[in-house]
Amino acid sequence: MPSTSPNAFNARLSALVREIYPDLDTSILTSMIVDAFWPEGTKPRKRGRQPSNNLWTEQDALLITYGNSIIDGAHKPLDLLNDFLLRRMKGVVNGVHILPFFPFTSDDGFAVSDFRSVNPQLGDWADINRIGDAFHLMSDLVLNHVSSQGTWFNAYRQGQAPYDKFFFEASPDDDLSMVVRPRTTPLLQEIETTNGPRHVWCTFSHDQIDLDFRNPEVLCEFLRIIRLHVDNGVQIIRLDAVAFLWKEVGSPSVHLPQTHAIVQLMRMLCDYAPETIILLTETNVPKAENLSYFGNRDEAHAIYNFPLPPLILHAMMSGSANYLRQWQSGMPPAQLGCAYLNFTASHDGIGMRPVEGILPHSEQDKMIETVKDVGGLVSMRALPDGGEAPYEINTTFFEATKNTFNGADDYHFERFICSQTIVMSLEGIPAFYIHAMLATPNDLDQVERRGMNRGINRHNWDYPTLNALLDDPETIHARVLGRLTEYLKIRAKQPAFHPNATQFTMALSDEVFGIWRQSLDRHQSIFALHNVSAKDMQVALTQMNLIDDEDWVDLLTGETIDLSATHVSLAPYQCRWITNRH
């Protein structure tokens, strides 16, 4: 929790430094850290921000996009993105996550070769600043690894200080059997250096070399990078793959105590920054491990709600919200000063690890087969026993909702809109991948051309083509964007959809996923009902607390609810937001 005096700040920072680096000089390291985050001419606040619900409102919603998701072959992609945002997204979302916009060598930006520059193929810092002037801006801190062809690693291979101690080395003779991996490639890579052959740790790929945070210089360098981003208008820092940050031979090397302490240290610095900085952790892991990054209100301000994509997709495919409801009923409300980031689609696949212990393997298998039927793919991960397990389903979310377990039907549009409306209804901040907003089909050509499953969900739209499609109200792209735009504009006006507003999961039939939201001041209630089936459904009014003597209206249809009736009806995949304040 943020401290309330300079002495407390120093004491807390020193305690964290001792926890992370017990064998090094605490006083020297604390000074290095403060100087890295607050360079000459800047200084921290006198008091840290206390945890509160004031960092976000019901008006907050994010668009997730690559810097080159929209291209035309003539203009800078970031210029085109800015035009798209101002033309199509103003008043719809107020934040944008531009996926890694730095020079890189692979993994679509996540093998960064220069953390301090904007990829010239996208634009420059002025273009980033321009977007940040109109929208809350999120950037990626890819802090687990760097490109094998970048400046840092080249200097390491040449034995140049300080980079000669920047990377994690191990031996093939070490016991690495417990290491948790999201990939099937070999963990260690032998490379030549001026000091002879070395084996470096590669959690993700051999072009992504893991850094060694046992060296405090690495931590300080990333604090300087955060400062650079903040100075360029970034408000949300996404800690990419943070769970793998600290390694120890003979351990799983995931979620280690030092990792959590480093997140706590970053949170503390952000809470003392004059600028508003929100830390978001990206940990695509099972529920309890993911929730641990809230800490005791002293780690991430926000965490990705990773079980949502596979659970919502399963509900849409199966026509039953049973597993989604059971999971949601057991989810704790975010602590004061914390929030969930809710989503279905992202630049990666639909992760299956987060539903371990939630969705039976038989149900997961049916999901995978249903996605394969519409051209989707599946990526595997290595298990400690040498086997493999599904890591993620690769598809656009729009295409994933095309079929149910019973095959194709005429409800694809309604089913997809239902899936996105659930995201808007839940406690937390909603985020939408650009290819979900645009109903982008699977890009199998890119998979074949690039030899990468994730290419299926990373289409590059030709901007003139896209605008023509969106300007034609009959296209699926215009229909989807139009409906989501309508709902998001309605949502932004409802205090009961504040990210921390009260939430209660309703006990309804398996076909209807229902939640009750109540505003922080308790003036507004919304009963959000989502029919996840192709059946006509009814919800008894006795299952909702519709207060007498108040007018209740469905925000999505404008229909007044007749309190003398016995029930409300839902058509296949229909959603209702029934409220007493409108």
Side-chain angles (χ1 to χ4, degrees):
M1 184 183 301
S3 309
T4 56
S5 73
N7 289 337
F9 170 84
N10 292 330
R12 175 63 175 151
L13 181 57
S14 296
L16 287 169
V17 169
R18 281 193 295 272
E19 183 177 350
I20 302 165
Y21 303 110
D23 299 327
L24 301 178
D25 189 301
T26 299
S27 177
I28 292 175
L29 285 188
T30 53
S31 294
M32 286 173 55
I33 286 167
V34 169
D35 290 344
F37 200 73
W38 287 289
E40 187 175 352
T42 62
K43 59 183 180 180
R45 294 160 51 105
K46 291 183 179 179
R47 297 181 183 277
R49 291 181 182 84
Q50 295 295 320
S52 74
N53 295 325
N54 299 328
L55 286 174
W56 34 70
T57 74
E58 58 273 12
Q59 297 175 23
D60 287 314
L62 284 165
L63 180 76
I64 306 166
T65 180
Y66 279 102
N68 65 347
S69 291
I70 299 171
I71 56 176
D72 69 358
H75 299 87
K76 291 185 292 185
L78 287 175
D79 267 350
L80 299 179
L81 176 60
N82 186 54
D83 184 80
F84 172 81
L85 291 169
L86 295 176
R87 184 187 300 200
R88 309 282 184 182
M89 293 286 105
K90 200 68 177 172
V92 181
V93 301
N94 66 350
V96 57
H97 172 201
I98 307 177
L99 288 151
F101 47 78
F102 322 103
F104 71 99
T105 54
S106 66
D107 199 18
D108 283 347
F110 286 92
V112 179
S113 56
D114 182 357
F115 285 99
R116 296 184 173 278
S117 300
V118 174
N119 182 353
Q121 294 182 352
L122 300 177
D124 52 35
W125 279 115
D127 301 308
I128 297 294
N129 301 157
R130 193 175 303 115
I131 293 172
D133 288 341
F135 295 86
H136 299 318
L137 189 58
M138 184 197 299
S139 70
D140 285 281
L141 195 70
V142 187
L143 73 175
N144 179 72
H145 49 260
V146 301
S147 167
S148 67
Q149 302 165 60
T151 304
W152 291 7
F153 194 63
N154 284 332
Y156 160 83
R157 297 180 72 160
Q158 297 301 318
Q160 298 173 11
Y163 304 105
D164 56 335
K165 295 182 173 60
F166 260 42
F167 295 91
F168 198 94
E169 299 175 353
S171 166
D173 298 329
D174 291 332
D175 180 8
L176 305 176
S177 61
M178 296 174 63
V179 174
V180 173
R181 297 289 312 288
R183 300 288 187 272
T184 57
T185 52
L187 176 62
L188 298 185
Q189 176 184 185
E190 183 176 359
I191 54 99
E192 291 296 328
T193 76
T194 55
N195 297 314
R198 294 287 187 273
H199 288 87
V200 290
W201 195 287
C202 303
T203 297
F204 289 88
S205 80
H206 283 188
D207 189 39
Q208 294 163 294
I209 315 298
D210 285 36
L211 291 152
D212 189 352
F213 276 83
R214 295 175 303 179
N215 177 2
E217 290 282 357
V218 174
L219 172 61
C220 288
E221 187 60 24
F222 275 103
L223 296 179
R224 296 183 193 102
I225 293 166
I226 293 177
R227 170 53 52 194
L228 173 68
H229 288 208
V230 171
D231 288 345
N232 278 282
V234 171
Q235 292 179 292
I236 308 170
I237 302 289
R238 178 183 183 268
L239 302 182
D240 176 67
V242 67
F244 303 99
L245 183 146
W246 197 276
K247 291 95 176 152
E248 285 184 1
V249 170
S251 82
S253 294
V254 66
H255 313 308
L256 295 185
Q258 295 91 336
T259 294
H260 284 283
I262 286 174
V263 177
Q264 290 173 33
L265 185 148
M266 290 181 171
R267 166 69 181 265
M268 183 184 175
L269 297 179
C270 291
D271 283 339
Y272 272 88
E275 308 86 354
T276 299
I277 308 173
I278 294 172
L279 282 186
L280 170 69
T281 49
E282 187 266 332
T283 51
N284 191 356
V285 293
K287 170 185 167 182
E289 299 169 40
N290 192 32
L291 289 172
S292 71
Y293 285 87
F294 277 147
N296 185 24
R297 299 186 298 172
D298 59 357
E299 292 191 36
H301 296 93
I303 64 172
Y304 280 85
N305 213 345
F306 273 111
L308 265 185
L311 286 175
I312 289 178
L313 181 58
H314 178 270
M316 295 298 127
M317 288 179 166
S318 67
S320 169
N322 180 40
Y323 292 107
L324 175 63
R325 183 180 64 250
Q326 287 184 28
W327 165 78
Q328 186 61 68
S329 298
M331 282 290 286
Q335 304 173 69
L336 184 68
C338 300
Y340 294 107
L341 189 79
N342 297 323
F343 70 109
T344 57
S346 75
H347 63 290
D348 289 338
I350 299 166
M352 301 305 289
R353 284 214 66 204
V355 288
E356 290 176 4
I358 302 174
L359 267 184
H361 289 298
S362 59
E363 296 297 311
Q364 295 184 41
D365 291 343
K366 283 191 284 187
M367 288 176 64
I368 290 171
E369 290 307 310
T370 303
V371 165
K372 285 182 176 178
D373 287 342
V374 294
L377 306 167
V378 62
S379 295
M380 310 299 286
R381 68 183 180 94
L383 298 175
D385 64 4
E388 293 184 350
Y391 179 67
E392 64 182 20
I393 297 171
N394 300 109
T395 173
T396 68
F397 208 86
F398 179 72
E399 286 292 288
T401 57
K402 188 173 184 178
N403 284 11
T404 70
F405 289 166
N406 296 321
D409 58 22
D410 295 328
Y411 294 115
H412 185 197
F413 173 79
E414 292 81 4
R415 186 159 48 244
F416 177 71
I417 295 299
C418 179
S419 74
Q420 304 308 294
T421 308
I422 292 174
V423 172
M424 299 183 204
S425 305
L426 290 169
E427 174 199 339
I429 301 166
F432 304 90
Y433 188 39
I434 190 170
H435 293 306
M437 296 287 280
L438 299 176
T440 306
N442 286 336
D443 192 337
L444 292 171
D445 289 341
Q446 189 158 184
V447 172
E448 182 176 353
R449 186 171 65 253
R450 303 180 61 192
M452 181 177 69
N453 282 2
R454 285 179 169 177
I456 199 171
N457 193 26
R458 298 179 182 179
H459 182 68
N460 304 104
W461 274 106
D462 173 69
Y463 199 30
T465 302
L466 177 62
N467 276 325
L469 290 168
L470 295 179
D471 288 339
D472 178 355
E474 299 301 317
T475 68
I476 189 64
H477 313 286
R479 291 175 61 207
V480 165
L481 183 59
R483 185 65 60 84
L484 296 181
T485 293
E486 175 191 351
Y487 285 11
L488 280 166
K489 287 183 174 180
I490 293 171
R491 181 190 183 278
K493 299 176 182 177
Q494 315 307 321
F497 283 144
H498 184 285
N500 298 116
T502 297
Q503 176 171 293
F504 177 78
T505 308
M506 301 168 68
L508 303 175
S509 65
D510 284 351
E511 292 86 356
V512 181
F513 178 64
I515 51 174
W516 170 60
R517 302 294 308 279
Q518 186 180 58
S519 59
L520 295 172
D521 63 8
R522 304 183 73 173
H523 284 177
Q524 184 187 37
S525 285
I526 295 178
F527 292 90
L529 309 176
H530 316 85
N531 182 1
V532 302
S533 78
K535 304 175 185 177
D536 290 306
M537 298 300 300
Q538 295 182 344
V539 175
L541 292 186
T542 55
Q543 294 181 287
M544 297 181 284
N545 296 330
L546 302 186
I547 303 167
D548 288 337
D549 305 319
E550 293 197 10
D551 294 329
W552 291 85
V553 170
D554 180 356
L555 292 166
L556 301 182
T557 64
E559 175 189 349
T560 299
I561 305 302
D562 181 2
L563 295 186
S564 66
T566 60
H567 63 267
V568 294
S569 299
L570 292 99
Y573 301 103
Q574 183 182 359
C575 301
R576 287 182 175 269
W577 287 344
I578 298 172
T579 184
N580 60 332
R581 291 283 187 267
H582 45 88

